[in-house]
Amino acid sequence: MNTFIVAGLLIVLLGLAYQLGWSKSRALSTANGVRVHSRGQYHGTLVALWTLVPVVLFLAIWAFFSPGVTHWYTVSLLPTEVLTGLDQLGLNAQLQRIRDLASGFGVTGEVQPFEQAAGENLARFQLLSFLIMLAAAAGLGVLGLTLARRRISPRLRARNEVERAISVLLIACSAVAIFTTVGIVASLVTEAFRFFTYINPLDFFFGTVWAPRFSSTGTGDAGQYGLLPLLTGTLMISAIAMLVAVPVGLMAAIYLNQYAHANVRKIVKPIIEILAGIPTIVYGFFALVTVGPFLRDFGNAVGLSISATSALTAGLVMGVMIIPFISSLSDDILNQVPRTLRDGAYGLGATQSETIRNVLLPAALPGIVGAFLLAVSRAIGETMIVVLAAGNAPILRGNPLEPVSTITVSIVNQLTGDTDFTGPQSLVAFALGLTLFIMTLCLNIVALYIVRRFREQYE
């Protein structure tokens, strides 16, 4: 409820500020034919920015300090004899009971008189602090609005200031993306380095046995952490997926781009791209309950031993999931091939199929290869399908008809449950994540380089 009130206050302040700024600018432009440097919308936007920025900064500071102040006040409500008899866990439980009473949710068990009094005092404190916050935010907004509106004059370069503010906002958004990536990489590297203080990197990267052991005491044999069984399973499933997705996706792209009527294209392409919108957990469930049993029964009929959960099951369903990815990228790349190349081939007497084989595909080949590499990185990082359909058997084997495990499945397994990140059993997930990150990063770099060279060739 409080969030909606704050959001409503911001909307009212923004609308009022913009309207007042725009109206004053309009009054200036119509008074005695004065020529105004910036249009009314820029003046309105500038006033809105002067109103919004102080309020947002104040709310951010309030959100940072408010929990600590509330915690301190709640602790001060407890009697001294109660505080002396509580450890940290007991204190946290007692504070939670008081917060529940203050919020009106109620608590289990008998409510002590001091708890009831503390809950009532905390509720009044929270209401008073919220009202103070609203009044201060509104006051800052009105102050900023007044100061900004007074600045409006015919020669005020409002457009330049607004564009400068937008540039700062765009830079901040870019910085958030960059710093997020840097933070992820730093976290993976530091935690992976901690893992390698327990396990020799050579044993990790070249080991053939994956058998981590969890120890409740933190002592004893930590197990074996060979990456090769997981890497083999990951590459095997990705290869099967690409064998399914590449021909089907590429042929679908060629048909839609060269042969399909415009009306057919309008219907078929959205249907194919619907596959990209299906959650991967649905694909995994489909593989587990439909594709896996079908392959097992088919194998029994022809004399093959096919496990219901295997690399083949996960790879086939993952390939279906990647089809719209390859189809859309390949179609876009085929559209980038200059029309003059195809017209020249037709002028020389080539048929449509000959033009596709000898002109269109060779010209689009670098871009199509880049699209395939991007699809491979997508397949390597897939999690839910392989969690449900691959079988979770981290054994080094080359038979796609048997259960396997992948890097992503092992990350899920190692981080599931009560983990304290003090031993190799949990820290190995960061080493696996770093390996997966490096693999997909290299594939993406190569793919983007190839696609960029293709685009520059025809620009």
Side-chain angles (χ1 to χ4, degrees):
M1 185 63 180
N2 293 346
T3 303
F4 290 109
I5 294 176
V6 174
L9 175 64
L10 291 177
I11 293 173
V12 170
L13 287 175
L14 280 178
L16 180 63
Y18 182 86
Q19 183 63 31
L20 291 177
W22 179 81
S23 62
K24 185 172 181 179
S25 174
R26 185 178 181 183
L28 289 175
S29 62
T30 57
N32 300 324
V34 178
R35 184 175 182 180
V36 182
H37 176 272
S38 302
R39 293 182 178 180
Q41 61 263 32
Y42 289 108
H43 289 108
T45 304
L46 182 62
V47 175
L49 288 174
W50 273 66
T51 304
L52 178 65
V53 172
V55 175
V56 171
L57 291 177
F58 172 75
L59 292 177
I61 295 173
W62 184 276
F64 181 78
F65 289 103
S66 178
V69 175
T70 304
H71 177 80
W72 170 82
Y73 179 76
T74 308
V75 172
S76 68
L77 295 174
L78 296 176
T80 305
E81 60 272 14
V82 175
L83 284 174
T84 55
L86 295 176
D87 57 6
Q88 188 61 43
L89 292 178
L91 177 61
N92 292 336
Q94 185 65 70
L95 294 178
Q96 185 60 47
R97 285 176 62 88
I98 295 176
R99 285 192 289 266
D100 291 340
L101 288 171
S103 61
F105 292 149
V107 294
T108 59
E110 183 180 358
V111 179
Q112 299 297 325
F114 76 89
E115 292 178 333
Q116 186 66 38
E120 294 173 357
N121 290 331
L122 179 59
R124 286 193 294 267
F125 175 79
Q126 290 175 338
L127 176 60
L128 180 61
S129 61
F130 178 71
L131 294 177
I132 292 174
M133 181 267 292
L134 276 183
L140 281 176
V142 172
L143 179 62
L145 186 155
T146 304
L147 294 177
R149 194 168 186 272
R150 287 182 178 179
R151 292 184 64 230
I152 296 178
S153 64
R155 302 314 303 160
L156 176 64
R157 298 179 179 272
R159 182 188 62 193
N160 297 354
E161 295 188 21
V162 170
E163 292 177 350
R164 192 179 303 116
I166 294 175
S167 299
V168 171
L169 178 62
L170 295 177
I171 293 173
C173 294
S174 302
V176 168
I178 294 172
F179 288 140
T180 301
T181 304
V182 172
I184 293 174
V185 174
S187 175
L188 290 176
V189 171
T190 54
E191 298 299 330
F193 180 79
R194 287 180 58 195
F195 168 75
F196 289 128
T197 60
Y198 295 95
I199 304 297
N200 190 325
L202 294 179
D203 295 336
F204 174 73
F205 288 108
F206 299 102
T208 58
V209 178
W210 176 265
R213 294 190 179 95
F214 286 90
S215 175
S216 59
T217 62
T219 59
D221 187 12
Q224 296 176 281
Y225 296 88
L227 177 65
L228 290 182
L230 308 181
L231 185 61
T232 302
T234 300
L235 296 179
M236 185 187 303
I237 293 176
S238 300
I240 295 173
M242 297 309 296
L243 289 176
V244 174
V246 167
V248 176
L250 182 58
M251 294 301 106
I254 292 175
Y255 169 75
L256 293 175
N257 188 272
Q258 296 296 312
Y259 292 100
H261 190 271
N263 294 330
V264 176
R265 177 184 172 88
K266 291 178 181 179
I267 298 174
V268 174
K269 188 170 183 179
I271 293 176
I272 295 177
E273 293 180 346
I274 286 176
L275 296 174
I278 300 176
T280 56
I281 185 66
V282 176
Y283 281 108
F285 184 74
F286 174 70
L288 181 65
V289 303
T290 303
V291 178
F294 171 78
L295 292 177
R296 180 193 58 203
D297 296 340
F298 177 78
N300 293 334
V302 298
L304 292 175
S305 177
I306 302 178
S307 176
T309 55
S310 62
L312 180 62
T313 302
L316 289 176
V317 177
M318 189 184 299
V320 174
M321 181 193 70
I322 298 176
I323 285 175
F325 188 83
I326 293 180
S327 176
S328 297
L329 286 177
S330 300
D331 184 37
D332 295 338
I333 291 167
L334 291 174
N335 285 329
Q336 293 177 4
V337 177
R339 182 72 185 180
T340 54
L341 292 179
R342 284 173 279 186
D343 294 341
Y346 292 142
L348 293 174
T351 63
Q352 188 173 15
S353 61
E354 291 173 340
T355 301
I356 294 172
R357 291 195 310 270
N358 300 323
V359 177
L360 189 63
L361 288 180
L365 184 61
I368 293 175
V369 171
F372 291 168
L373 293 177
L374 290 175
V376 171
S377 65
R378 174 71 177 85
I380 290 176
E382 174 54 37
T383 303
M384 292 311 304
I385 292 177
V386 291
V387 165
L388 296 176
N392 192 19
I395 302 173
L396 184 61
R397 53 171 54 125
N399 186 359
L401 307 182
E402 297 179 349
V404 296
S405 187
T406 65
I407 295 176
T408 54
V409 172
S410 298
I411 292 175
V412 172
N413 292 336
Q414 298 307 119
L415 294 181
T416 300
D418 187 12
T419 56
D420 54 3
F421 301 103
T422 58
Q425 295 85 356
S426 300
L427 294 175
V428 67
F430 294 95
L432 293 173
L434 182 62
T435 304
L436 193 65
F437 174 79
I438 293 175
M439 291 172 59
T440 55
L441 178 65
C442 293
L443 287 172
N444 289 340
I445 290 175
V446 173
L448 293 176
Y449 173 75
I450 294 175
V451 171
R452 187 175 302 164
R453 285 201 61 184
F454 165 74
R455 288 176 179 173
E456 291 177 351
Q457 184 176 357
Y458 295 110
E459 285 181 352

